Every structure is written in C-alpha cells, then in structure tokens.
Amino acid sequence: MRFTALKKHTPIPGFGLTLGITISMVSIFVLIPLASVLYFGTTLSWMEFWHIITMPNVLYAFATSIGTSFIAALMNVIFGVLLAWVIVRYEFTGKSLINGLIEIPFALPTAVAGITLSKLYSDQGIIGTWLSQWGIHASYSHIGIVVALVFVGIPFVVRTVQPVLEDFDSTYEEAAYVLGASTFNLYRHVIFPELKPAILTGVGLAFARGIGEYGSVIYISGNSLREHTQIVSYVIMQKLNYADYAGATAMAIVLLVISFLVMLTINAMHIRQSKRGGA
C-alpha cells in the first residue's frame, strides 16, 4: 500500500524552521520542567509518596486550596458571565475602562494584589471594618482566600465568554421571541447552550489557577495550621525552605495531576461540542 503525504501550500515560507523553534521552546519551558518533576517523583517509593500526601497538614492544605478554588470558580461564573454580558450587549459611558480593568489581575503582580486585599479586608480596612460589624472577618480566613481567588480568576471567565457572546447571532433570540419563548426558556434553551463550553472552560482555567495560586493568597490567608488556612503552595514553599525536596515534589505531582485532569476534561468537552456542531 502506498501512502502519499498531503502538504498544505502556504504563501508563508519556513514551516520547518518555525515548527522546530516552536517545539524547542515548548520543550524547554514546558515539557522538560514538567518531566523533571515527574522524574524526581520516581525516586520516591509508593509508601513514601502516600505518607507525604496523607500527612494532616498536607491534607488540610489540599482541602483548603481545592475547596476555596471551587467556591471562587462558582462565584466567577456568576460575576464573570454578567460582566461579559454587560460589556458585549450594552453601550454606556466608561465601557472601555471597565473592559480594560478586567485585565488588571493578569498584569498586576500577585504579591501586590495580596497585600492590597489583605489591607482592604482586614478589620481595620475600608471593607473589612464594615464586614466586622456583621461579625465577618475576611482577612486571615477562608473568606479572604476566596476573595483573592475570585480576583485572580474572574478574567478567565470573562475573556472566554466574551468572544462567544460577540459572535452570537441575535436572530436566534428574535426567532425564539417570535415563537413565543419566555425569557427563562430563551436563556435556558438558546443562549446557555452556546455559552456552556466557554463557561466551563473559564471555570476550569480559574479553578486550575486557584489551586496553585501563591502570591495573592499568601498574605490574606494568615497561613494558620490551627485555622486550616494554609494553602498547598505555602506548604510546598515551607518544605523547600527546609530542604524537604521529596515532600515538595510529591505535593507538586498531585497538583500537576489535578491540573492535567481539569485541562483534559475541558478539551474533551470541546471535542464533544465540536462533534455535536458538525465541526
């Protein structure tokens, strides 16, 4: 049997060179570092690995990071979709400013965000003073961690939903209204199915970012073992400071696996959506 390679013609030359550079850069900055983590993990026996990740402080750290990241991701769904909807569907004064401010969590150093949030939400801060009157202490608690993760994660939801809304054909909504659909059915059966893949992608990215976040959370969390406000990244840093590379590697592998499963799930949903759409 004879196979013939199909070559796609392009007016831009240099495919081999650019592909080689791309693979080299991805290997140097992504694949090799990830492979090194997995390689160091093979130096641990299964019993050693299990002992490290089941230590009480490690389990508390994972529970705190995963739980607060999940809550923050759900909150980002609500506020992120609303922000994207307002930016795309309405014209108002200051729209460009709000659209630009969404990028601030990407550009702002996370340590600066953490310090600012911890001051604002402390009992002596502008927002924290008002909350403390209701018996809510945000800083140095799980509430503060969720606030910080909402701050760093909301751009992921907005920027994934926004392009879908911009490309959404409004004639579908008009046709639904003409056919007698209620507002609830319009959102449920017409708009939401189109936004669902983008929403899930944004939530997955925000969640994956949250479980590994360090700079914006480290100051507002309080890092208390007694109050269970230590996050995974902080415990990993502690182990590195005490030269416990085995413990840090084991925890890093668990984070890597969780993030990989999240990304794998997102890609699987995209593939399924593409097949349903005939793409």
Side-chain angles (χ1 to χ4, degrees), residues 117-139:
L117 291 174
S118 63
K119 284 293 184 181
L120 283 174
Y121 286 89
S122 66
D123 291 344
Q124 293 76 35
I126 298 175
I127 301 177
T129 301
W130 179 77
L131 292 176
S132 62
Q133 296 176 357
W134 298 87
I136 302 174
H137 304 281
S139 284

Side-chain angles (χ1 to χ4, degrees), residues 62-92:
F62 274 111
T64 298
S65 293
I66 294 175
T68 54
S69 296
F70 182 75
I71 294 173
L74 294 181
M75 294 180 65
N76 280 327
V77 170
I78 300 173
F79 298 115
V81 173
L82 285 176
L83 272 173
W85 183 273
V86 170
I87 291 173
V88 173
R89 292 301 182 95
Y90 302 106
E91 295 294 334
F92 54 92

